Amino acid sequence: MLLVTFLDNLNPWGDRNFTNTTHKILVYLLLLLLLCLLNTISFKLVNVLIQSKLIGVSYSSKNIHSISTNTIVFVGLLSPITEELMFRLGLLFSPSKATSLIIGILFTIVSLTIGRLFLYNTLYLKVYLFLLLALYIIILYLIKHFNNKLMEFWKVNKRAIFFLSIISFAFSHINKYVFTNQYELFLYWPILFLPFFISGYFLSLIRIKICFTMAIFSHSIINFILILLETQQFI
């Protein structure tokens, strides 16, 4: 019975099929276990391909090289909260939630185009954050104005929104890698972003099927595993 329920809940658009709280917790633990396992395997695969020079991509200087308090706070706590707000909260509609998802998509577009400018220029970063805040207020106002139409849009296009959030989440991590030319991104993206597609899918499932808080918690666990993997302290 538990296995059937677990398999049912791998479908993001099926009903929440839980008989009781214990049942729900067990399904969540299975989802979390599968997420950690697949994410770790995919990350190690990407790491092997990069380290062995089988693909012409390298890690950026922003990668984690040692564990520190700042690393734990930012990667293990602040990053999961921020990314879940931008990419998962809006999977279920409300004006503020939908606005957060749209901001997340816009964030990804900026990361894919001129994102590196903000990594090394404090002034640009401050202007960027100010513009994001201003956009949030404007978009929220517009969504509230067209609330009923957008609610129906979210309902009709829930599959497209689900996968758009996963794709946006994956490509928002583009600054993790250094490409010697623009063609490498198009050539290697299915491999390089595989860990993020996997984590995006399962975190979205957890957000929809379990709750938003557990999506943040699961994201933190994944990021702590990432810290250990990147510092070569986990095998």
Side-chain angles (χ1 to χ4, degrees), residues 11-225:
N11 174 14
W13 306 284
D15 295 330
R16 296 185 185 184
N17 185 20
F18 303 117
T19 55
N20 52 54
T21 302
T22 302
H23 209 187
K24 184 176 182 178
I25 292 172
L26 290 174
V27 169
Y28 165 70
L29 291 176
L30 286 174
L31 286 172
L32 179 61
L33 177 63
L34 193 55
L35 165 61
C36 293
L37 179 63
L38 293 178
N39 193 263
T40 300
I41 292 172
S42 62
F43 180 87
K44 293 297 287 184
L45 172 63
V46 171
N47 188 57
V48 168
L49 291 174
I50 291 178
Q51 296 297 334
S52 61
K53 308 296 184 181
L54 290 176
I55 56 178
V57 178
S58 60
Y59 288 119
S60 73
S61 59
K62 293 292 181 179
N63 252 34
I64 301 168
H65 301 291
S66 63
I67 296 177
S68 65
T69 302
N70 288 340
T71 299
I72 292 173
V73 170
F74 181 78
V75 179
L77 297 174
L78 295 181
S79 179
I81 293 172
T82 302
E83 291 180 350
E84 290 305 309
L85 285 171
M86 288 197 299
F87 299 109
R88 245 75 67 182
L89 184 64
L91 290 175
L92 300 180
F93 182 83
S94 80
S96 59
K97 293 175 184 177
T99 303
S100 295
L101 180 55
I102 293 172
I103 290 295
I105 294 169
L106 292 174
F107 173 84
T108 299
I109 293 172
V110 171
S111 297
L112 286 168
T113 52
I114 58 173
R116 291 190 185 276
L117 290 175
F118 305 110
L119 290 176
Y120 309 109
N121 191 304
T122 305
L123 177 61
Y124 285 169
L125 179 59
K126 290 178 180 178
V127 171
Y128 175 50
L129 293 175
F130 174 78
L131 290 175
L132 277 182
L133 178 60
L135 275 174
Y136 181 90
I137 295 171
I138 294 170
I139 294 170
L140 179 59
Y141 171 79
L142 292 173
I143 288 179
K144 285 183 176 180
H145 186 72
F146 298 101
N147 182 67
N148 292 335
K149 291 182 178 179
L150 285 170
M151 185 184 299
E152 182 63 23
F153 177 86
W154 241 250
K155 183 178 179 180
V156 172
N157 298 281
K158 56 186 177 183
R159 286 174 172 80
I161 291 170
F162 181 86
F163 287 111
L164 180 59
S165 72
I166 294 173
I167 294 169
S168 298
F169 169 72
F171 279 95
S172 70
H173 293 83
I174 189 172
N175 290 323
K176 182 179 177 66
Y177 305 109
V178 175
F179 303 92
T180 55
N181 61 69
Q182 59 181 337
Y183 302 107
E184 289 178 342
L185 171 60
F186 297 102
L187 183 61
Y188 298 126
W189 71 263
I191 298 172
L192 295 174
F193 294 104
L194 179 61
F196 304 109
F197 286 126
I198 291 173
S199 58
Y201 182 83
F202 280 95
L203 289 171
S204 296
L205 276 181
I206 291 170
R207 187 273 178 270
I208 293 173
K209 299 291 185 173
I210 310 299
C211 68
F212 179 68
T213 303
M214 296 312 294
I216 295 176
F217 175 73
S218 304
H219 196 151
S220 293
I221 291 176
I222 288 298
N223 279 14
F224 278 122
I225 292 175

